[in-house]
Amino acid sequence: MIKRRSLMPASRDQHTERWLVSYADYMTLAFALFVVLYAVHASRTELRQPVMEGVQQALGQLGARPEMNGAMEYEGQPALPASDVPAATSSANSLHQLKLELGEKLAPLTKRQLASIEQGEHELVLTLDGSLLFAEGSALLSGNSEAVFSALMPLLSQDTHFIHVRGFTDNIAVSNELYASNWQLSAERARAVLEQLEQRGVAPQRLRLEAYGQYRPVATEQRREAGRGPQRRVEIAIAASRWQPPLPPPARPPEPEQKEGIQIYELPGGGIRITNDRISQ
């Protein structure tokens, strides 16, 4: 029996290309996501631009020049000429004298409210705005910090007061592969500053690290335009008490010279004993 071949084309399965609909939906959602992320980034950049311009202008007066990527690079000249370094006298090392000298060196920063200096009864507190040293959610020192530390070290390295380095964060919770909490983030920021002080000549016996997380915020009603930088601050507290370097150990008296020779001992029961022991002069 001969089968007749159908003249009508075989109908295709209408459901074989439905994956295209899901793929198109996915691409549409991905495109919308990237548009939203770009809009958020652009708005945050516009808000931070005035703050970054103020930082660059202040650091420029400290002896830094802007890089092509917007960071600051220190040119290498000393922030305080060697001939102008004050002598290490009691009056120069007092808290009041330090306040005057720090105020003079950091005037470009204090005028723009990027740094402040307050003297209390027991300590002198230098507060550095977080935008000077760190990016948001990070404890890595930025290129701007080079000019700041170069201005501070001629005054701090020759002093003998104890120094407390305190780290703070804002109230935005952080939890990533680097920092488990704001406690750890504030401690890492304080550690980064402390290690810079030690590497630049401050005796490690003078240093102490403190971390407070987000639990000691400062009021910023008068400078809302500064953003969260004042909360992400680092304080360098110079205590009134001083560190006394240990005295060198006393020199040991020279041991008597000894030379080899023949020793003759008389034994109690009679007789003698001859040896080659070393004898002292």
Side-chain angles (χ1 to χ4, degrees):
M1 183 175 180
I2 301 175
K3 294 183 178 180
R4 293 183 180 181
R5 183 176 298 176
S6 175
L7 298 178
M8 299 294 293
S11 60
R12 297 181 178 179
D13 187 0
Q14 299 180 356
H15 302 288
T16 57
E17 297 182 354
R18 293 188 61 182
W19 63 273
L20 288 174
V21 178
S22 300
Y23 179 75
D25 291 342
Y26 168 77
M27 293 302 296
T28 303
L29 293 175
F31 176 76
L33 173 63
F34 286 119
V35 169
V36 172
L37 291 176
Y38 175 78
V40 172
H41 173 74
S43 62
R44 293 181 62 183
T45 303
E46 292 177 357
L47 293 175
R48 293 176 55 190
Q49 188 64 26
V51 178
M52 295 306 299
E53 290 178 354
V55 171
Q56 292 180 3
Q57 293 176 4
L59 292 176
Q61 297 182 21
L62 285 179
R65 55 183 176 86
E67 296 177 347
M68 295 303 295
N69 59 1
M72 306 303 297
E73 180 182 0
Y74 187 69
E75 293 184 346
Q77 71 271 19
L80 189 64
S83 60
D84 294 338
V85 175
T89 62
S90 58
S91 62
N93 289 330
S94 66
L95 295 184
H96 179 69
Q97 183 67 23
L98 277 175
K99 180 181 179 180
L100 296 178
E101 294 171 351
L102 289 173
E104 181 180 356
K105 294 302 302 179
L106 301 179
L109 301 180
T110 56
K111 289 180 180 178
R112 290 172 174 81
Q113 297 184 342
L114 296 172
S116 64
I117 306 171
E118 298 180 0
Q119 182 175 354
E121 183 179 357
H122 301 292
E123 63 182 9
L124 176 67
V125 180
L126 168 62
T127 303
L128 298 174
D129 193 290
S131 60
L132 274 174
L133 305 177
F134 307 104
E136 184 175 353
S138 173
L140 299 177
L141 289 171
S142 65
N144 300 337
S145 62
E146 178 67 23
V148 177
F149 287 117
S150 296
L152 290 177
M153 293 318 300
L155 301 177
L156 297 183
S157 60
Q158 65 180 353
D159 188 35
T160 58
H161 292 277
F162 286 103
I163 297 177
H164 300 212
V165 182
R166 300 164 181 164
F168 303 85
T169 66
D170 53 32
N171 58 0
I172 297 179
V174 59
S175 180
N176 51 41
E177 64 276 8
L178 295 178
Y179 315 109
S181 65
N182 282 341
W183 285 110
Q184 183 179 1
L185 178 58
S186 63
E188 288 296 317
R189 285 173 174 168
R191 180 193 61 81
V193 174
L194 182 145
E195 290 181 348
Q196 280 292 315
L197 296 179
E198 181 180 0
Q199 292 171 8
R200 293 170 182 263
V202 177
Q205 296 87 344
R206 297 171 50 200
L207 299 173
R208 176 180 295 180
L209 184 148
E210 302 175 9
Y212 294 94
Q214 66 191 47
Y215 299 105
R216 290 197 180 182
V218 294
T220 57
E221 295 294 335
Q222 69 278 16
R223 48 176 181 172
R224 291 183 180 274
E225 68 279 0
R228 296 182 179 271
Q231 306 298 345
R232 297 185 286 109
R233 68 195 186 277
V234 171
E235 293 181 355
I236 300 177
I238 305 168
S241 56
R242 299 174 182 267
W243 171 65
Q244 296 293 338
L247 298 176
R252 297 178 58 184
E255 297 182 357
E257 293 186 10
Q258 296 181 346
K259 68 177 183 178
E260 295 182 356
I262 298 176
Q263 292 285 340
I264 301 176
Y265 300 96
E266 184 177 354
L267 300 178
I272 60 174
R273 179 181 178 183
I274 303 175
T275 66
N276 273 339
D277 293 341
R278 296 173 62 89
I279 61 176
S280 300
Q281 288 287 356

